[in-house]
Amino acid sequence: MADSSFDIVSKVERQEVDNALNQAAKEISQRYDFKNVGASIAWSGEKILMQANSEERVKAILDVFESKLIKRGISLKSLDAGEPQLSGKEYKIFASIEEGISQDNAKKVAKIIRDQGPKGVKAQVQGDELRVSSKSRDDLQAVIALLKGQDFDFALQFVNYR
């Protein structure tokens, strides 16, 4: 019998991020506390630019955007927001969406699978994802449960379970 396997990835659906950003922009344009403060949120190339006339307001914009991401099922671990920066008379926050598992993080996950996972489970790094394979599907489900119980500083999804 062939080995069963699944892939561990860290991907974000760009359309869902775009929808969350549009919802946040709409809420910011309608809320009273954001009137006349130059509050805005928009794409700036590959990054997301949030700006307002005070540090508190720009942090509030980030908070609104984070709540919209959560409602759309996107992990906040994939959002990398910088600190508010003063630019002229406005404060700005640049945020980016992190995708893919770095080599170091993939090695950490593979080491956890090797050390704490069931025997006979193999994990190999393939680019920015990790392939986990085993003869037993029960072992693979045990690995998924093990990894869901861990607290990583990056988002994980389990795909291609076969």
Side-chain angles (χ1 to χ4, degrees), residues 45 48 75 79 90 112 128 141-142 150 161:
I48 298 163
S75 171
L79 178 71
E90 293 201 320
I112 289 172
D128 60 353
Q141 289 180 338
Q150 300 287 325
Y161 187 83

Side-chain angles (χ1 to χ4, degrees), residues 12-25 41-43 48 65 68-69 72 74 97:
V12 175
E13 203 170 317
R14 176 95 174 175
Q15 185 62 50
E16 289 296 327
V17 174
D18 206 35
N19 291 344
L21 185 119
N22 290 337
Q23 286 180 334
I41 180 170
W43 286 105
I48 298 163
F65 182 55
K68 299 299 178 193
L69 287 174
R72 294 226 156 249
I74 297 171
I97 303 295

Side-chain angles (χ1 to χ4, degrees), residues 8-154:
I8 301 172
V9 297
S10 182
K11 288 193 178 4
V12 175
E13 203 170 317
R14 176 95 174 175
Q15 185 62 50
E16 289 296 327
V17 174
D18 206 35
N19 291 344
L21 185 119
N22 290 337
Q23 286 180 334
K26 186 174 181 181
E27 182 173 323
I28 289 164
S29 71
Q30 293 174 344
R31 269 179 46 177
Y32 179 75
D33 58 335
F34 288 124
K35 293 276 189 245
N36 301 323
V37 295
S40 68
I41 180 170
W43 286 105
S44 173
E46 284 296 306
K47 292 188 180 281
I48 298 163
L49 170 64
M50 293 162 261
Q51 55 189 18
N53 66 358
S54 73
E55 190 171 347
E56 292 77 32
R57 290 280 183 262
V58 81
K59 284 182 177 176
I61 293 171
L62 177 62
D63 191 47
V64 167
F65 182 55
E66 286 176 346
S67 72
K68 299 299 178 193
L69 287 174
I70 290 169
K71 283 183 183 172
R72 294 226 156 249
I74 297 171
S75 171
L76 292 183
K77 292 179 180 179
S78 60
L79 178 71
D80 182 26
E83 289 299 311
Q85 302 164 344
L86 183 60
S87 173
K89 291 183 177 178
E90 293 201 320
Y91 282 88
K92 296 181 178 185
I93 293 179
F94 285 99
S96 60
I97 303 295
E98 302 290 322
E99 287 193 299
I101 302 175
S102 70
Q103 290 291 329
D104 293 341
N105 289 337
K107 286 178 183 171
K108 284 182 200 169
V109 173
K111 183 169 175 21
I112 289 172
I113 292 171
R114 253 195 332 272
D115 294 348
Q116 301 174 19
K119 298 286 180 239
V121 175
K122 297 185 282 294
Q124 57 205 90
V125 179
Q126 295 179 334
D128 60 353
E129 54 186 49
L130 198 67
R131 166 77 44 95
V132 180
S133 58
S134 172
K135 294 209 182 302
S136 164
R137 287 183 166 225
D138 292 341
D139 287 350
L140 292 179
Q141 289 180 338
V143 168
I144 290 174
L146 169 74
L147 294 177
K148 282 185 177 176
Q150 300 287 325
D151 185 30
F152 295 108
D153 55 351
F154 52 96

